[in-house]
Structures are given as C-alpha cells and as structure tokens.
Amino acid sequence: MSAQITVLQAYNQALSDAMSDDDQVLVLGEDIADPEEGGVVGLTKGLSTKFGELRVRTTPISEEAIIGAAVGASLVGFRPVAEIMLMNFTTVAMDMIVNHAAKLRYMSGGQTHCPLVIRTMTGAGMSTGGQHSDYYEAWFAHTPGMKVVCPSTTEDAYGLLRSAIDDPDPVMVVENMPIYWTKGPKPEAGHRVPLGKANILSPGTDITIVSYSRTVLEALGALQAISGAGVSAEIIDLRTVQPWDQEAVLASVEKTGRLLIAHEAVVPFGCGAEIAAVVQDQLFGKLKAPVKRLGASFNPVPFSKPLETAHMTDAAKIAAAAIALVKGE
Amino acid sequence: MSAQITVLQAYNQALSDAMSDDDQVLVLGEDIADPEEGGVVGLTKGLSTKFGELRVRTTPISEEAIIGAAVGASLVGFRPVAEIMLMNFTTVAMDMIVNHAAKLRYMSGGQTHCPLVIRTMTGAGMSTGGQHSDYYEAWFAHTPGMKVVCPSTTEDAYGLLRSAIDDPDPVMVVENMPIYWTKGPKPEAGHRVPLGKANILSPGTDITIVSYSRTVLEALGALQAISGAGVSAEIIDLRTVQPWDQEAVLASVEKTGRLLIAHEAVVPFGCGAEIAAVVQDQLFGKLKAPVKRLGASFNPVPFSKPLETAHMTDAAKIAAAAIALVKGE
Amino acid sequence: MSTNTYVPDGPTKLEMFRKMALLKANDERSRKVITTGRLIMPYYSYRGQEAIPAAMGVVLKDTDYLCTIYRGIHDMLAKGLPLKSLWAEIAGRVEGTCKGKGGPMHLTDVEHGVMVTTGIVGASMPIANGLAWASQLRGEDRVAVATFGDAASNIGAFHEALNLASVWKLPTIFVCQNNLWGEHTAYEKSTSAKRIADRAAAYCMPGICVDGNDPVELYGAFCEAVARARAGEGPTLIEAVTFRFQGHVFGDASGYIPKEEMEAAKARDPYPLFRARLIAEAIATEEELSAIEAAHEASLDEAVEFALASPFPAAEEACTDVYGEVA
Amino acid sequence: MSTNTYVPDGPTKLEMFRKMALLKANDERSRKVITTGRLIMPYYSYRGQEAIPAAMGVVLKDTDYLCTIYRGIHDMLAKGLPLKSLWAEIAGRVEGTCKGKGGPMHLTDVEHGVMVTTGIVGASMPIANGLAWASQLRGEDRVAVATFGDAASNIGAFHEALNLASVWKLPTIFVCQNNLWGEHTAYEKSTSAKRIADRAAAYCMPGICVDGNDPVELYGAFCEAVARARAGEGPTLIEAVTFRFQGHVFGDASGYIPKEEMEAAKARDPYPLFRARLIAEAIATEEELSAIEAAHEASLDEAVEFALASPFPAAEEACTDVYGEVA
Ligand SMILES: Cc1ncc(C[n+]2csc(CCOP(=O)(O)OP(=O)(O)O)c2C)c(N)n1
Ligand SMILES: Cc1ncc(C[n+]2csc(CCOP(=O)(O)OP(=O)(O)O)c2C)c(N)n1
Ligand SMILES: [Mg+2]
Ligand SMILES: [Mg+2]
C-alpha cells in the first residue's frame, strides 16, 4: 500500500508546496502561524516557520478585514489563501466575498481580478450545535464570479486546493471537519485536480448517485447495501460545485436513467436543486424515475446527539433512497 | 375605477396601519425618520411624526447593529421592522440574520422566537451597477427559520407586509425598487395576504409561468405575445418564495403539463431550481416538456444600459421561451 | 474609576463568594465528567474568570437581560440558570433548558434573563442593544448586559453595537472579560488598543478598566454601570482583566501560552484569594466557606445525575421549533 | 498636528489649485449633462470637497494605491484617472475605463493606482489594507489610501480595518472626508465620537483632524501620513472636515439640511477661497487661474464629446469578464 496521510495533512502539504513553488502565495487567518500552533486544528502548522510570518500571517478576529486583505493583495498579483475558520463565519465576511472578490474582475472590465482562495471548514457530527457546522455552498455557487470546491479525499484535498490557488478567480474550498483525520493515499507533489471535473468512483448501471464533500463517503458506505439489494449504482464525486461537471453527470444519468443527489446541506434551495433542474431538462424523456434529492432536514443543526444524527444524511438513508428509486417504491 | 396608489405608498400604509394597530410594532433603519425625510425614497415618511422617534428610529450605517437591535427587541415581544436599504447590504448583516434571527427559536428549544421583519429593496434596470441591484432571495430561502416574500402589486405589498409583521418568525420582504412608483388599487385597511399562498393571475391551459417580484409584471407583459402565438399561459405570482405554494404550482402544472419559471436573480442555484426540482419529482411522467427556467445571465449586474437590458429577464424573453416550450422548438 | 462609591457589605461579599464557588465547582465538574466520556461537547472552560460574573450576578436583577457567549456558562449560572437545566442541556436531554437543541454554546433561560448565548464572536453585543431598546421603550429600568472576550473587541459587531448604544443612549452594559488570549493568539498580536476600555472613548462612552480577579472592584464597576443605565444615562464599557487557566476549548493544552505567564496568572487565582480575604475580614469562617463548597458539590452530584437520567429527545424533535404557528 | 513640518511651495499650491479647478469643473459638468438627459446614472456630487483629493493628489505618486467610494470621482481624477476614460465609463461606453461595466460607482484605473471604487459603505478600507500589505511584502514604499465618509466610520469594516492596519503596521492611510452628513442623516445622530480622528486612539494610531477646505493644511497632513507610511511606521487616520453642497445623490434637494447650515458651509467654499489666496499670495494672477479653468472646460468639452461618440458595448459583453482563462 502506498504511503497514507490524513486529509488534514494533505491540505497542509498543498499549502506548503504551493508556497514553495510560488512566492506570491500567502496564507492568512486566525491562529494560523506557528506561535499560535498553526491553527485550531494545526492545519497550517509549519508554514510560518518555513515561509515567515509576513507571508503566513495570524490575524485578529475580523473576517471582513481578513477577506479584504486577501482581496487587496490579490489585486496586485499575490495569491492569498485566507482561512475563515468555520463556514458559519463567512456570514460576517459576505460583503467582501460577494460584492468585491467575486465582482471586481467584472466591474473593472477585466482590468483586475482576484486570484484568492477562501478555505473554510464545516460539517455536522461533532456536537457543535447550531452555529458551527452549516453548509452554505449553495450561496456561493449562486454568485457569479465565485468557484466552489468540496474535497472528500486526501488526493482531492491536495489537488483541488492546488488548482484553486492556481486559479485566476476567487475559489472557496469547503473542507469537511469530521474527515480531517481520515487517511488516504499521499498525493504526489504537484498533483492537480482540475476545477469542474467530477470523479466517477464506482461504475454502475441502474442509478447515478451524485454527491460531494463528506457525503461522498456516506454514498460509498451505502454501496454494499445497494448492491446487496441487486442494484448497481454509479457514484460520482462532484468535487467542484461551481462550475459543476454537467457533462459527466449527464453522461452517467443518460446511461443509468436515474439520479439521486445527496449532500449535507439542507435540501430546499440547496445545490441538489440545480443539478436536478438541469438533468430533468437535458434528459427529458430519458429518465426512468424522477430525480431525487437527499440532504439534511430543514432545521438548524441540533446539539443533542440523536437529533444531530437524525438531521444528517448518512449511508443508510442513501441506500434506502437509491434502492427505493430503482425498485420503484 | 377604485382609488389608486403606488406600491411605495402601499408599503407606507401597511407600516402605518400596523403601527396603529399594535404598539409593539417598531421601525428602524438608515434615514427612516421624518427629520431624514422618511428614507431615501420616502417610504417611511410620516411614521416618526405619528409614532415618535423612539418607535421609528433612524440608525447609523451599521447593518449588523440594525438587525441585532431588531433581534433583541423581538425576543421580548416587540415586532421590529428593520430596513436594510438595499439587498446587497444584507451581506454585512448575514450573521445576525442567518445565525441568530433564523435560529434562536430552534436553539432555545422554542423558549424565544424572533417576530421581526427585514424589508429590503433591490432590482436592476436603474443603472445602479454591480452592487445595488442583486436578488439574493435564494440564500434566505435556503435558511431554515426564515421566510421570504416578494410582492409585485400594491395589494400584495400591503397584504404581505402586514402578514409578515403578524408572523411569529423572521420574514424578509424583498421590495423591487423600479416598481415602487407603479400604481395599483388601494388596498383595504387591514388587508392580509397569507404567507405561502400563490396568486393565479391569468388562467391558461398550455403552460404555467411561475414568477415573483417585478418579473411577474414582465410575465403579464408577455401574455399578449404568447396568446398571439396561439398559446394559453397560466401565470402564477408565487408571492412567497419560502415557504412557496407547492400545491398551487403543482395543480397548475398538472393541468398545463408545462412549466416556465422566471425570476430576476441569476439562474444557476436560484429559486427556480428548487421549483423545477420539486415539480419534476412530483409530476414525473405527467410533464409534456422539461421544466424551463429564465433569469438574469450569470454575471454581476452591468452598468451600461444595453448590457443591463441584455442581462435582465423581460417580457420578450419570457414570451419567446414560453412559446418555444409549447411549440416544442 | 469611582469604585469607592459602591462598596459591597459583608453579606454581599459572601454572596459573591457563594457564586464564585458554584462556578468554580461547576467548571471542575464539567471537565471531570467530560474526561469520563459521559458528556460529549465542545467545552470552553472559564476557570480563572469566576469573579466577573459573580460580581455581575449580585448586582443584576432576574429581570435584567444577559447575552453571553460560548465561554459563558459562568455568566449564566451567576444570573440564575438552574444547575439541572444546564446539565440536562449540555447532556442533550429533553429536560435541558433548550430541550437539548441548543447545547453548551446556545443556552437560553428566559426566566432568569439569559436571553441569548452565541457561538459567533461579537454577536452578543448588537442583540443586547435590542433588549436594552425594549427596556427603554417600555420605560422599564431593566438593563441588558453583553459579555464578550478581549479578542471580540476587534470584530465589526463590537464597534457597531457600542456606537449605536451610545447614540441611542441605551441601558446596555458591555462587559469585556479580558483573559489576554483569543483562542491561541496573544492579546498584543490581535488587539491594537493598550486597554479595551480605551476604546470606549471612540463612542463618548465611559470605559472602566478593573481587576477582573477582584470581586470588590468588579462590584463597584457593575454598580456604577448599572446605576447609569437604570437612570437612563446610557451605556458603559467595562473591561475586566483576568486570565483563562485552561485551553481555549477542552482538549487544548494551551502550549502556546508561556509557562511563566500561566504560572503568574494562576498565582492570582481569584478564588483562593477571595476565600482567604473573607476569612481575614471575618466575614465568614473556614467552616462556613467549606460548607458552601460542600453544598455546591452536592447540588452538582444531583444535577449530573438528573441530567444523565433524563431521556434524549425523540428523533422527530429534530424538525420542530423551526417555525411557530401562524395565528 | 504638525502641519508646519510640511508646507507646500508656490508651484505645489498652484498644482493643487489646478486639481481643484478640474474637480469642480467636472462636477458641474456632470450635473449639467445629467440634467440634459444625455447621461443616466446615479451621481454623487462631491462639490465642496475638492480640496481633499487635490492635496492628496499632489502628495501621492502614480504607483500609490487608492480605494475610493461612490462619492469618489474627485479622488480618482486627482489621482490621475483621464477625463476621457471617466466620461466614457459613466456613459456606459466601450472606451470607458471599465468598458462600461463598472459605471460611476465602480471605476478602476490600474495605471493610475485607482484600484477599487466601491458602492458599499466601509468596504474601501479592508481592501486598501491588502494593497498596503502587498507593498510591505515587496519592500516597496507604495502607500494605500482608503477614502470614506464620516458616517462610514460607524460600520464594522472601519473598525476591523483600522485595527488590522495598526497591528500589522501597514502603510495604509485612512482618509475620512467628513462632510457632516451621511445621506439624509446628520453627523450627531449617527456618530457617537466628537471627532472621527478621536477614534484613531482606539487603535493606537495617529489621528489627524484638519480643515478639509484648506489645501495647505491638508497638504501637511497628507505629507505627514505618507512619510510615516513610507518609512514603515504604520497607518494614519486623517479626518478632513468639509461639507457636501449638493444632495446625497443627484435629484436630492437636501431639504433635510438646515438652510443656515448650508449657507454657512457655502460661505467657506474651498474653491473661491483658495483661488483668492493664490492671487493674494501672488502665486498666480487672475488671468493665469482663468486660463487653467478655461483649459479644463475645453478638456471637458472634448471628454464629453469623446464619451458620447464612443459606442455602447455589444450585448454579448454582458457575460464576459466573469471568470478568467484557466492556465
Ligand atoms: C466570527 C467568529 N470568528 C471566529 C470564531 C472562532 N473563535 C471562537 S472563540 C475565538 C476567540 C475569542 O477570543 P476572545 O474574544 O478573547 O474570547 P475568549 O474565548 O478568550 O473568552 C475565536 C476566534 C467565532 N466563533 N466567530
Ligand atoms: C453597507 C451599506 N449600507 C448602506 C448604504 C447606503 N448608503 C450609501 S451612501 C450612504 C451614506 C454614507 O455617508 P458617509 O459615509 O458620510 O459618506 P458621504 O456619502 O457623506 O460621502 C449610505 C447610507 C451603503 N451603500 N452600504
Ligand atoms: Mg480572550
Ligand atoms: Mg458624509
């Protein structure tokens, strides 16, 4: 077996390699330098020691100032990677993200652009309650000028973050916190995963299951139950939510005739809606069943463990929905 | 013809009547009191003179503080109506809206709740450029705990705002600025339009056109061209986007077999996606054509007039799309 | 500073001690129960900061409002949140004050004026203004207290809230518990003001800096601020300088805090100091104080047992309390 | 204040006048052209505030960065934005500096360091910090200026930006053009500080309050702040007290401003005062100044004509410049 590292280490390695390869890459955020132990989960550990505290800079708790600094530096050629510790805290930096980072290329008529990355972690399952685990990727996917990626493996964590840093426009990297400590193959140095390209994880013929972020692992976890029921599922890790890989999804659903979309965000007005809307349009008359969506129940994330579990999308729910869709229940 | 007033006057009247009927209703926002001429468009004119500057309170330019004050007062029984002047400025108050107003009922286990209203205006067509006319209703519709209404007429402006003020939970009222000066029937005092109930504006048999806010007027404007092409369109004003009236939409589409959704927000990951996703699911096998969506092109709102026009959803585009959908082009 | 104006009498001092003892015992018990694995939650220890809410608690009334933060269980207990409601909540049980939905970062207890607990840095302040506005509108003399940390004074919400409170002359009291660290980051690295209290001047608001480990000084500051607020004279910013003896969150060994700094801080632990002072001032005997401590331990035994015996909510409860009934 | 350290010489004063004259003429022309219906745009007149950017303009270099706001065309012109690029932009034409996509609230002109123009109150400041950080990282002596209004000093972004600039010792200069009104709201009703410059103390940053109608005082303040920034000594907050002679936006008759206040302000109109001063100080003759004014009018004739003759962008342009090419 090849060398294994955690998803967290993959992100760290990607930042370190990007900073080595290009001295215009910067990292900023709360607690991220080494005197602060490289962040609350140690994801940026070692960077400031290697690259100095001017390039790897701990900030005050001022998310607007953080993204503002990233925007400003990016306008003149730097490639800042700003950390917004948790996705719920993007709510205090929305103006800088949506009205500025995403729009400056357009509003300047292409004179400037913002090659910056916003890394943020989130995800339910750790009993952190209502303000620490939301998935808001649909907001940013709805924002012209933004790109959004949601890695689920060590190789994608590395490869998508590297591509995000290379990208000439603002990219939000949504990191799932509960899978930081999951291990996987150590990515090769310099590995890239192109933005907008999905990954077909398991080929199948009866149903396509599209997912991203941690929910991909739940979908994989559902595979055995699904095939046990005699159903052959094709599992697609979307990897990038904006722009998403329509070609790959359409090709798969054209083949299977059925689509289940599963994500961690709440269902209504979530990213699954866009995928469903496009697929029903493009494959009208070719579907064997309606496109179905799975996601968290429509409520804030509850604290109490049984409620949090009930709220979340898991392998069992995915298996049940996939089997029902194929068996026509 | 019955008495006519503008949409702007309808909002003003609703606030005035609500404040007369219930002394727990408060109004706050930038420039809104009478020494400040009742707001930049005079929408709140007369209120502070009638109800005093303690209940109708001009604020500093501090949107987090504005929504925070509304949240706090609402927790103990007041019904604050907070104005965020333009929808783009909700970006600096997102934390208060999303993490607090929308969640406090849930997180407190029902001990408290936030009966507050957020009024905000927006809409392209007035050459205000990239940061003054966005539609973000999809963000809030994706937020459990929030309700979102988008009036398009004098009666709905009045009736939805009154219902929003009555409602026990946070409601965002998205006001279209370009139609403020459009006239319509003067609503009866005390008129209510229930949240979540759509309005069928013109019955038809070939296609259902679902819309809300200013785009409804464009849909109505498209009617003649549509019927001129021999197509019978049923036009539905959704009025409330969260919760939206699935029953009415499904009943209509079940009858017509075709659905076109038109809104002013950009298409990808917009509210049209949710409606399309639900309809293709609930009416699988009953549709004569794929559900189609129309909205602004996927870019920030441009300043230059011809670009702004090209960007927007108008009657001509709606007519063309509706006819094409029915005629099968 | 005019702390001389308000001097606590013996019974008040004893009451402050009683609160401090409760808070300290509760913190220690929390960490112990987490260590045994019987509670799973993010826990933000307030050990070292007990004097601040203890003084606040004796000055405020039940009807006054409190908005606090993730590191705020000491504030809530001092304000009157019952131990059993607290423990059942942090155990995620139906008998918790929020039926288990809120958890340790989102406790509410309307009965005792604990209105909001937030996990978002800075968010306690704008909401407290709204409660203060309500009080002002109703002509009541209730005050609204927002507590927050030193690093929170760098976020926009702090600025907007203090400015609004000042121009609206709200009865809001902003209580900064300056423990000199924000997560892993030292004060100087994130905060440009020498003193948080200095920032009050930017809002033409009185700013009081007090020793956050001295209940007597704190009492004076709270009395002064509360009197001003109740008299309709507007808000006050209180900076209480203290220290956080544990990591930011349970499990964090605070390796980033220099050893000497931590040791020096612990040498000024407000609890043994105030305990000794009460005995020296003959306000209470060693036995009396030990009895208080023992009583708290007994209440904690009871609360923990109660909490862990309380049932978990049914799965369907996940989807309720999202919206209310429309009349 | 140490404005004595930096005193403009005659040619510098004349250059400031030249800029003021350009700005004033441009404002008057803008309103005139809008009145004729040949331009449709939201227009935020800066009439009365010309001295501030005029002084800034002679102190800054082309390579310095500027982040300004909707009411910022004076700032941009003073920084070097060519009239033709401006006028074609506000007319929404392809030859506009942003190809017509930005419009009057979102001009950029990288060549002259006009990096960002924002319509969001407060947003110029955090971005200017990023440009200043870039300068610091590259060891350049460029400074970044953020301009904003008095009422903008009440929004969170102001606070976060000033704090960050201070702890990072950035070469950012925060220039508050205090025209005493924010839209329809008077200063005192929204701003709790007596002086905006007082707020600098909250960040241990120098705060300079100057007469925003006096180019000479302004020159001193800018020189001082720029020198400090170039020397790596960190940011400065400059408050320039001035007035807005027109409504908030074109079409607003500013009925909410007391007549006497407006009249008193107009009596201190910086333009005729500075003009008279140059003549009194024998720096220029009436004829020379008139010639400057006439030249500006001629340039404006040309720019307006150029703009209105420039084609509108093709409809397809609406969808370009959203994303760049991925390498
Ligand atoms: C807006 C926001 N940003 C970041 C965080 C993450 N965070 C939680 S506590 C904390 C440190 C706060 O420090 P301080 O205000 O001094 O309070 P203390 O924890 O020391 O009591 C941070 C950065 C957050 N909760 N909210
Ligand atoms: C975040 C935000 N809130 C509100 C507005 C609406 N608005 C535009 S200008 C303005 C007044 C600003 O006043 P000031 O900062 O004094 O600048 P001035 O216009 O006087 O130059 C307001 C409230 C906005 N653009 N952005
Ligand atoms: Mg702290
Ligand atoms: Mg102003």
Side-chain angles (χ1 to χ4, degrees), chain D residues 213 245 260-270 272-273:
Chain D
N213 291 349
F245 293 168
E260 322 76 64
E261 185 177 346
M262 180 64 90
E263 274 163 24
K266 284 191 174 165
R268 291 190 307 270
D269 186 338
L273 286 177

mmCIF file of all heavy atoms in Angstrom, chain D residues 213 245 260-270 272-273:
data_model
loop_
_atom_site.group_PDB
_atom_site.id
_atom_site.type_symbol
_atom_site.label_atom_id
_atom_site.label_comp_id
_atom_site.label_asym_id
_atom_site.label_seq_id
_atom_site.Cartn_x
_atom_site.Cartn_y
_atom_site.Cartn_z
ATOM 1 N N ASN D 213 -11.194 72.033 4.007
ATOM 2 C CA ASN D 213 -11.346 73.036 2.957
ATOM 3 C C ASN D 213 -10.054 73.804 2.712
ATOM 4 O O ASN D 213 -10.018 74.696 1.868
ATOM 5 C CB ASN D 213 -12.470 74.013 3.323
ATOM 6 C CG ASN D 213 -13.833 73.341 3.272
ATOM 7 O OD1 ASN D 213 -13.959 72.224 2.783
ATOM 8 N ND2 ASN D 213 -14.845 74.021 3.774
ATOM 9 N N PHE D 245 -22.111 70.206 -0.782
ATOM 10 C CA PHE D 245 -23.001 71.300 -1.196
ATOM 11 C C PHE D 245 -24.259 70.829 -1.911
ATOM 12 O O PHE D 245 -25.228 71.577 -2.032
ATOM 13 C CB PHE D 245 -22.246 72.279 -2.102
ATOM 14 C CG PHE D 245 -21.156 73.048 -1.398
ATOM 15 C CD1 PHE D 245 -20.224 73.784 -2.126
ATOM 16 C CD2 PHE D 245 -21.046 73.054 -0.011
ATOM 17 C CE1 PHE D 245 -19.222 74.499 -1.486
ATOM 18 C CE2 PHE D 245 -20.049 73.762 0.640
ATOM 19 C CZ PHE D 245 -19.121 74.490 -0.107
ATOM 20 N N GLU D 260 -29.449 77.499 7.135
ATOM 21 C CA GLU D 260 -28.311 78.280 7.662
ATOM 22 C C GLU D 260 -27.040 77.442 7.616
ATOM 23 O O GLU D 260 -25.955 77.943 7.342
ATOM 24 C CB GLU D 260 -28.542 78.712 9.110
ATOM 25 C CG GLU D 260 -29.967 79.120 9.450
ATOM 26 C CD GLU D 260 -30.901 77.921 9.603
ATOM 27 O OE1 GLU D 260 -30.676 77.123 10.522
ATOM 28 O OE2 GLU D 260 -31.826 77.761 8.765
ATOM 29 N N GLU D 261 -27.196 76.152 7.917
ATOM 30 C CA GLU D 261 -26.014 75.288 7.913
ATOM 31 C C GLU D 261 -25.420 75.233 6.513
ATOM 32 O O GLU D 261 -24.200 75.350 6.334
ATOM 33 C CB GLU D 261 -26.413 73.883 8.390
ATOM 34 C CG GLU D 261 -25.205 72.964 8.532
ATOM 35 C CD GLU D 261 -25.562 71.578 9.065
ATOM 36 O OE1 GLU D 261 -26.684 71.387 9.571
ATOM 37 O OE2 GLU D 261 -24.698 70.689 8.953
ATOM 38 N N MET D 262 -26.276 75.074 5.548
ATOM 39 C CA MET D 262 -25.816 75.009 4.167
ATOM 40 C C MET D 262 -25.171 76.329 3.746
ATOM 41 O O MET D 262 -24.110 76.343 3.111
ATOM 42 C CB MET D 262 -27.001 74.657 3.243
ATOM 43 C CG MET D 262 -26.649 74.557 1.774
ATOM 44 S SD MET D 262 -25.479 73.224 1.386
ATOM 45 C CE MET D 262 -26.607 71.860 1.074
ATOM 46 N N GLU D 263 -25.821 77.414 4.125
ATOM 47 C CA GLU D 263 -25.272 78.721 3.733
ATOM 48 C C GLU D 263 -23.907 78.975 4.362
ATOM 49 O O GLU D 263 -22.976 79.443 3.710
ATOM 50 C CB GLU D 263 -26.259 79.842 4.086
ATOM 51 C CG GLU D 263 -27.268 80.036 2.951
ATOM 52 C CD GLU D 263 -28.490 80.822 3.394
ATOM 53 O OE1 GLU D 263 -28.389 81.590 4.367
ATOM 54 O OE2 GLU D 263 -29.550 80.639 2.750
ATOM 55 N N ALA D 264 -23.818 78.649 5.638
ATOM 56 C CA ALA D 264 -22.540 78.837 6.332
ATOM 57 C C ALA D 264 -21.455 78.001 5.656
ATOM 58 O O ALA D 264 -20.316 78.448 5.477
ATOM 59 C CB ALA D 264 -22.688 78.454 7.798
ATOM 60 N N ALA D 265 -21.834 76.808 5.280
ATOM 61 C CA ALA D 265 -20.855 75.934 4.641
ATOM 62 C C ALA D 265 -20.421 76.507 3.293
ATOM 63 O O ALA D 265 -19.230 76.513 2.957
ATOM 64 C CB ALA D 265 -21.446 74.537 4.464
ATOM 65 N N LYS D 266 -21.392 76.976 2.544
ATOM 66 C CA LYS D 266 -21.058 77.505 1.225
ATOM 67 C C LYS D 266 -20.193 78.756 1.328
ATOM 68 O O LYS D 266 -19.384 79.047 0.437
ATOM 69 C CB LYS D 266 -22.330 77.780 0.421
ATOM 70 C CG LYS D 266 -22.939 76.474 -0.114
ATOM 71 C CD LYS D 266 -24.045 76.712 -1.127
ATOM 72 C CE LYS D 266 -24.500 75.387 -1.733
ATOM 73 N NZ LYS D 266 -25.779 75.502 -2.436
ATOM 74 N N ALA D 267 -20.371 79.480 2.421
ATOM 75 C CA ALA D 267 -19.527 80.659 2.631
ATOM 76 C C ALA D 267 -18.066 80.248 2.809
ATOM 77 O O ALA D 267 -17.163 81.064 2.641
ATOM 78 C CB ALA D 267 -20.021 81.443 3.850
ATOM 79 N N ARG D 268 -17.860 79.004 3.149
ATOM 80 C CA ARG D 268 -16.481 78.501 3.302
ATOM 81 C C ARG D 268 -16.079 77.646 2.106
ATOM 82 O O ARG D 268 -15.178 76.804 2.211
ATOM 83 C CB ARG D 268 -16.360 77.694 4.597
ATOM 84 C CG ARG D 268 -16.472 78.522 5.876
ATOM 85 C CD ARG D 268 -16.109 77.697 7.111
ATOM 86 N NE ARG D 268 -16.868 76.447 7.172
ATOM 87 C CZ ARG D 268 -18.045 76.297 7.781
ATOM 88 N NH1 ARG D 268 -18.606 77.310 8.416
ATOM 89 N NH2 ARG D 268 -18.659 75.130 7.771
ATOM 90 N N ASP D 269 -16.751 77.814 1.000
ATOM 91 C CA ASP D 269 -16.427 77.056 -0.225
ATOM 92 C C ASP D 269 -14.920 77.096 -0.477
ATOM 93 O O ASP D 269 -14.332 78.160 -0.668
ATOM 94 C CB ASP D 269 -17.187 77.684 -1.411
ATOM 95 C CG ASP D 269 -17.027 76.865 -2.697
ATOM 96 O OD1 ASP D 269 -16.043 76.094 -2.814
ATOM 97 O OD2 ASP D 269 -17.896 77.009 -3.582
ATOM 98 N N PRO D 270 -14.285 75.965 -0.489
ATOM 99 C CA PRO D 270 -12.822 75.946 -0.596
ATOM 100 C C PRO D 270 -12.307 76.517 -1.920
ATOM 101 O O PRO D 270 -11.189 77.032 -1.974
ATOM 102 C CB PRO D 270 -12.466 74.468 -0.481
ATOM 103 C CG PRO D 270 -13.726 73.732 -0.850
ATOM 104 C CD PRO D 270 -14.846 74.617 -0.397
ATOM 105 N N PRO D 272 -13.353 79.201 -4.194
ATOM 106 C CA PRO D 272 -13.063 80.635 -4.305
ATOM 107 C C PRO D 272 -12.046 81.096 -3.262
ATOM 108 O O PRO D 272 -11.217 81.970 -3.533
ATOM 109 C CB PRO D 272 -14.437 81.288 -4.096
ATOM 110 C CG PRO D 272 -15.326 80.235 -3.521
ATOM 111 C CD PRO D 272 -14.780 78.931 -3.969
ATOM 112 N N LEU D 273 -12.104 80.461 -2.076
ATOM 113 C CA LEU D 273 -11.160 80.874 -1.033
ATOM 114 C C LEU D 273 -9.719 80.609 -1.462
ATOM 115 O O LEU D 273 -8.839 81.466 -1.319
ATOM 116 C CB LEU D 273 -11.451 80.122 0.270
ATOM 117 C CG LEU D 273 -12.696 80.561 1.037
ATOM 118 C CD1 LEU D 273 -12.899 79.667 2.272
ATOM 119 C CD2 LEU D 273 -12.578 82.035 1.475
#
